[in-house]
Amino acid sequence: MNTACHLEPTYLEPTWDAGRAFAQREIAGEMVMLNLLRFRAIADYSQSPELAPPQPISGAEAYDRYVAHTLPLLRKSGGDLLFMGEGGAFLIGPEGERWDRAMLIRQKSRGAFLAFAVAEAYLAGIGHRTAALSDSRLLPLIELPR
């Protein structure tokens, strides 16, 4: 069987519909973004050659460069990195599915997140993220009342 025709879809950026739905969602106050990340073996800087290091690096190393670029900007916008950890295979979930890293990012509001995500300073380093990832998931979480 030709597997080239049966590739699983990957998700690196929000679709227009998903972005619109998020922007219109009624979110009051803080939220936490759950990030699931799958890295390329070797980072692909073809979309951002100006950010490429002189020698090839792994996707994980490229993502670490993205985090180093982004974290000060995230904190300035009112957000923070709550957790970043190494992933692997699920204990409960699809057999064979794995995520290399998981992160929890807190942001003070939906508006602050949206402003952060389109800021020129942030976008200047997003090429490290694009080079690093082969797939990702981003799930906005709203804390339930206690």
Side-chain angles (χ1 to χ4, degrees):
M1 175 158 77
N2 181 353
T3 57
C5 296
H6 295 70
L7 294 176
E8 292 291 321
T10 59
Y11 301 91
L12 300 178
E13 299 295 332
T15 64
W16 191 88
D17 287 340
R20 185 185 64 192
F22 174 74
Q24 294 174 346
R25 187 172 170 192
E26 301 267 339
I27 299 173
E30 289 188 353
M31 61 181 186
V32 173
M33 305 296 261
L34 168 63
N35 293 256
L36 297 177
L37 309 166
R38 188 172 300 133
F39 299 128
R40 299 174 192 270
I42 303 295
D44 176 4
Y45 278 96
S46 61
Q47 293 184 42
S48 300
E50 72 283 1
L51 295 176
Q55 301 297 321
I57 60 174
S58 70
E61 290 169 308
Y63 201 83
D64 290 342
R65 290 174 183 222
Y66 166 74
V67 171
H69 170 85
T70 302
L71 196 51
L73 303 170
L74 176 67
R75 288 180 173 146
K76 188 176 177 184
S77 77
D80 205 358
L81 172 64
L82 299 178
F83 175 85
M84 180 165 48
E86 183 178 333
F90 281 103
L91 178 59
I92 298 174
E95 191 174 319
E97 183 175 329
R98 63 157 185 79
W99 295 96
D100 297 316
R101 193 177 293 177
M103 292 190 327
L104 295 172
I105 304 292
R106 180 192 49 78
Q107 189 49 270
K108 66 181 180 179
S109 70
R110 183 193 61 212
F113 174 79
L114 291 170
F116 164 78
V118 298
E120 190 174 323
Y122 166 71
L123 294 174
I126 201 167
H128 291 300
R129 181 184 183 278
T130 304
L133 296 177
S134 66
D135 202 3
S136 67
R137 303 290 185 272
L138 181 61
L139 179 63
L141 303 170
I142 311 307
E143 187 171 3
L144 294 171
R146 298 175 197 206

